[in-house]
Amino acid sequence: MATKVIIDTDPGIDDAMAILFAWLVPSIEIVGLTTIFGNVSVEHATENALRLVEMMGADIPVAMGARRPLVQDLREYPDYVHGKNGFGDVLLGKPTSKSLDISAADFIIEQIMNHPNEISLVAIGPLTNLALALKKEPAIKQNVKEVIFMGGAVTANGNVNPAAEANMISDPHAADIVVTSDWPVTMIGLDVSHQIVMTESYLKEVHNESSFAGSFLHDISGFYLDFHRQYGVDGIYTHDPSTIAYLMDPNLFSIEEGEVRVVTEGIACGKTIMNRDQNKYGKTDWSGIPKLKVCMGVNNVGILELYRKTFINSKDNV
Ligand code: RIB
Ligand code: CA
């Protein structure tokens, strides 16, 4: 039976890679995309999600999510990373389709409650929609199959500042709600995504050799490559597609379990701090909350091969 997935996303170049990757995997059924602010505004994220669905020729509903974080002010969009339009400033036509009339949070609740223990919730942007859904319908905790999110960093430096990764700092209050709620969560942070680099030649081979999906991704990756090169990375970090690889084969990752908190103020706002030593303390802010699965190691060659094979094999069937 196919794995039913909702992808909560702020497309975004690596988001587009993750969404197309999931779409090309026969054993994954994307039941919907829910959008969030982050790389771009939620309006733009919704337009980009609709564009991707139209490009895929797929029947996948898109539900627009939160415009701003739960508590803190909206941060500036990182157009220097993904371009002003979120797709590397490649000129694209307006989508002709429309998003659903219900919110992302309501779509998440509706799908999880109508399909108990069937929906995998994959979040690759700020976690505001997930926090809103949890607040509105706490029973999704017992009815979701699993939650996988890209975000945070346990031992690695952040990518916004030494403490914080982008998805976490964009809404730290929402992230702390998600990681302290009692539901099955796996965190895929910079500890692993910074170990997975797609070089320009790899991107060319995978994306040019595959179906239309590949050439679109090749076109929008140029901007993203230039950004990474400024920081001495000869390629792009594979953040969001790592969640789909985990869904397909968790054995590609080594996992630790522990309680995680997200700092919500001060210079380390957005920092994810994991209790990795279970016996050292008395009562702390990590006491009494559930443990997450946190990916700390990864078979980066295996992930790159899985991604490559999926796109290359798609050449004949889309
Ligand atoms: O830190 C990387 C994450 O922030 C990715 O999800 C990327 O798309 C941005 O949203
Ligand atoms: Ca993202």
Side-chain angles (χ1 to χ4, degrees):
M1 187 164 96
T3 300
K4 293 178 186 289
V5 176
I6 293 172
I7 301 177
D8 191 70
T9 177
D10 61 335
I13 293 162
D14 61 327
D15 299 71
M17 292 178 166
I19 292 164
L20 287 168
F21 185 17
W23 179 62
L24 293 174
V25 175
S27 61
I28 292 178
E29 176 194 347
I30 303 176
V31 299
L33 298 179
T34 52
T35 58
I36 187 68
F37 67 87
N39 291 322
V40 290
S41 70
V42 69
E43 290 81 3
H44 217 124
T46 305
E47 257 192 39
N48 285 343
L50 290 167
R51 280 193 181 94
L52 285 172
V53 170
E54 288 177 12
M55 209 184 296
M56 298 171 341
D59 178 19
I60 299 174
V62 174
M64 187 158 93
R67 280 186 173 74
R68 48 151 301 125
L70 294 185
V71 175
Q72 72 180 25
D73 293 337
L74 193 59
R75 292 171 60 83
E76 270 183 41
Y77 304 122
D79 51 20
Y80 53 93
V81 182
H82 295 263
K84 287 195 180 322
N85 72 359
F87 282 162
D89 287 342
V90 168
L91 290 180
L92 298 163
K94 278 268 186 204
T96 54
S97 50
K98 298 285 179 230
S99 57
L100 297 178
D101 290 338
I102 64 169
S103 70
D106 286 342
F107 181 82
I108 289 168
I109 292 166
E110 181 184 273
Q111 290 297 323
I112 290 174
M113 299 310 287
N114 290 345
H115 304 282
N117 299 312
E118 286 185 47
I119 303 288
S120 296
L121 184 51
V122 174
I124 52 179
L127 297 178
T128 315
N129 293 331
L130 276 67
L132 291 170
L134 278 168
K135 282 184 172 197
K136 186 164 185 179
E137 181 45 271
I140 61 172
K141 292 182 288 188
Q142 291 81 31
N143 288 280
V144 74
K145 181 177 179 185
E146 64 176 324
V147 181
I148 303 164
F149 76 87
M150 190 279 139
V154 174
T155 58
N157 261 11
N159 57 2
V160 173
N161 58 46
E165 178 277 329
N167 290 336
M168 300 294 98
I169 198 172
S170 291
D171 193 342
H173 297 86
D176 196 48
I177 288 169
V178 168
V179 298
T180 56
S181 293
D182 188 9
W183 56 344
V185 176
T186 300
M187 169 176 149
I188 302 181
L190 301 180
D191 307 284
V192 298
S193 64
H194 273 175
Q195 294 179 48
I196 315 164
V197 177
M198 291 185 177
T199 61
E200 183 169 13
S201 57
Y202 171 92
L203 287 166
K204 269 202 179 106
E205 188 235 335
V206 169
H207 292 162
N208 281 357
E209 284 301 307
S210 66
S211 59
F212 79 94
S215 52
F216 167 73
L217 289 175
H218 174 263
D219 293 347
I220 67 172
S221 302
F223 194 101
Y224 205 35
L225 270 166
D226 292 346
F227 165 73
H228 284 76
R229 280 208 183 98
Q230 289 168 44
Y231 296 92
V233 179
D234 181 25
I236 62 169
Y237 289 128
T238 310
H239 300 300
D240 292 342
S242 306
T243 57
I244 306 305
Y246 179 85
L247 200 58
M248 293 169 74
D249 184 1
N251 296 321
L252 287 165
F253 298 81
S254 58
I255 291 160
E256 285 185 26
E257 298 208 5
E259 298 87 351
V260 174
R261 293 305 303 267
V262 182
V263 178
T264 56
E265 57 190 0
I267 64 164
C269 185
K271 173 69 185 155
T272 49
I273 304 176
M274 180 180 180
N275 173 13
R276 300 177 75 190
D277 180 344
Q278 297 306 313
N279 308 310
K280 189 185 291 178
Y281 314 108
K283 184 158 173 38
T284 70
D285 287 325
W286 284 256
S287 304
I289 60 172
K291 293 178 183 174
L292 299 194
K293 287 182 180 174
V294 179
C295 296
M296 297 302 288
V298 65
N299 172 358
N300 53 353
V301 173
I303 285 206
L304 291 172
E305 182 51 21
L306 182 62
Y307 185 90
R308 191 189 70 79
K309 263 190 326 193
T310 301
F311 272 84
I312 300 288
N313 293 346
S314 77
K315 188 170 180 175
D316 306 322
N317 53 26
V318 282

